[in-house]
Amino acid sequence: AILTVAMAFTSLDSAFLWEFNGLNNFRKIFKDPNTIIIVKNTVFYVLVTIVFTVVLDLFFAIMTTYFIRDERKGNIFKAILMIPMITPAVVYSVLWIWLLEATDTGLVNQLYLALGGSAPVNWIAQYPFTVVIIATLLTSIAYGTTVFSSAVKSIPENQFRAARVDGAGEWEIVRNIILPNLRFHITFITLWETLGLLTNYVTIMLITGGGPGVQTEVWALSSYHKAFSDSQYGYGAAISVVLILVVMALMLVIGAVMRRQEKTQS
């Protein structure tokens, strides 16, 4: 991090000359016409993925912990959710490229043609952000599901019994007992996943490369491309410094949330 900050104030490029250039790299960020597009892409990518991640985390956790009381069945399902998360990123991304191959030999195109499609579809080129979000989503839901499942298990059973005695239905129990007990866990998972999404670019780089054009280029991937594809190491470092500042702010928020949770529980 210290080296990155130092590089951000230089014109370091493929010549590897450490020449101080002040804030020129940061000015260049704001003058770059693609900066606005990349910021919008990043915000869209993070927000949409976070919303679907938290909703699916809650759904799977409640289904496998509250509605399905057989712990063995619930654990088998959670183990299946773990597979994308523990698969190496390169292997995982190559599998997506293979599944979505644009020819009629691609598995998804085979299914599409069997269901009446007229011609093979280049799914990655036509729906790049949809593919990226789904691929990222599948690697994210296992962690949140596990956290929420543990939280549901920790809710005292007498709360559920009292609700049923009062005539509450299952949806009312979920809405008025389970979700309120999970409010701090939801906040933590939201912040934690946001932190991960802001710094993650590997899946996007391997599946779409940030394209077509800059349609799926996010902030972290932009830093990588500027530094290692264009050899603008100083400029790439400056983009990283901006991301470091955002991540530090998020870490402070996470710390504040955790302290608040501790005070509430005590």
Side-chain angles (χ1 to χ4, degrees):
I2 294 171
L3 182 62
T4 299
V5 172
M7 288 170 56
F9 294 95
T10 71
S11 57
L12 187 67
D13 55 18
S14 58
F16 286 98
L17 298 175
W18 289 70
E19 295 179 353
F20 179 76
N21 68 351
L23 298 174
N24 286 351
N25 289 326
F26 296 96
R27 295 191 188 99
K28 191 176 179 181
I29 293 173
F30 292 104
K31 291 180 181 179
D32 190 334
N34 288 327
T35 295
I36 294 297
I37 298 173
I38 293 169
V39 170
K40 288 180 179 178
N41 287 346
T42 305
V43 172
F44 176 79
Y45 168 66
V46 172
L47 286 181
V48 173
T49 307
I50 280 295
V51 169
F52 279 101
T53 298
V54 173
V55 170
L56 288 175
D57 287 347
L58 286 168
F59 174 76
F60 290 136
I62 293 171
M63 286 298 296
T64 58
T65 308
Y66 177 70
F67 287 104
I68 301 175
R69 296 303 177 97
D70 188 331
E71 191 168 343
R72 181 174 174 274
K73 292 180 181 177
N75 287 338
I76 291 173
F77 183 76
K78 290 169 193 171
I80 294 172
L81 291 181
M82 284 281 182
I83 294 173
M85 188 176 76
I86 63 176
T87 304
V90 174
V91 176
Y92 181 71
S93 301
V94 168
L95 283 172
W96 273 98
I97 294 170
W98 172 71
L99 288 170
L100 299 173
E101 190 176 349
T103 66
D104 56 7
T105 59
L107 181 59
V108 174
N109 271 328
Q110 288 182 32
L111 294 173
Y112 175 70
L113 294 173
L115 293 172
S118 56
V121 176
N122 190 339
W123 301 98
I124 294 177
Q126 292 191 27
Y127 309 101
F129 241 130
T130 302
V131 172
V132 163
I133 288 173
I134 293 173
T136 304
L137 185 63
L138 292 178
T139 62
S140 303
I141 54 179
Y143 178 69
T145 299
T146 303
V147 172
F148 291 152
S149 294
S150 299
V152 172
K153 286 180 183 178
S154 69
I155 300 173
E157 185 63 30
N158 58 9
Q159 292 189 26
F160 298 120
R161 291 172 183 164
R164 293 189 187 99
V165 169
D166 291 338
E170 299 296 346
W171 168 241
E172 290 176 310
I173 290 174
V174 170
R175 186 180 59 187
N176 298 317
I177 295 179
I178 295 178
L179 292 181
N181 274 285
L182 266 59
R183 62 188 186 280
F184 291 117
H185 302 83
I186 293 170
T187 303
F188 171 73
I189 288 296
T190 300
L191 292 170
W192 184 259
E193 292 292 348
T194 300
L195 187 65
L197 289 168
L198 282 173
T199 56
N200 175 48
Y201 64 90
V202 176
T203 303
I204 302 176
M205 180 183 70
L206 294 172
I207 295 178
T208 68
V214 291
Q215 286 186 40
T216 55
E217 187 91 351
V218 293
W219 198 263
L221 182 57
S222 173
S223 174
Y224 174 87
H225 279 155
K226 295 300 181 185
F228 299 105
S229 296
D230 303 340
S231 297
Q232 300 180 53
Y233 302 112
Y235 186 33
I239 297 173
S240 291
V241 167
V242 175
L243 183 60
I244 288 171
L245 294 174
V246 173
V247 169
M248 287 177 64
L250 268 176
M251 289 174 67
L252 292 173
V253 172
I254 290 173
V257 169
M258 296 304 293
R259 287 192 296 272
R260 179 185 173 190
Q261 183 178 0
E262 289 174 1
K263 289 180 181 178
T264 304
Q265 289 178 344
S266 59

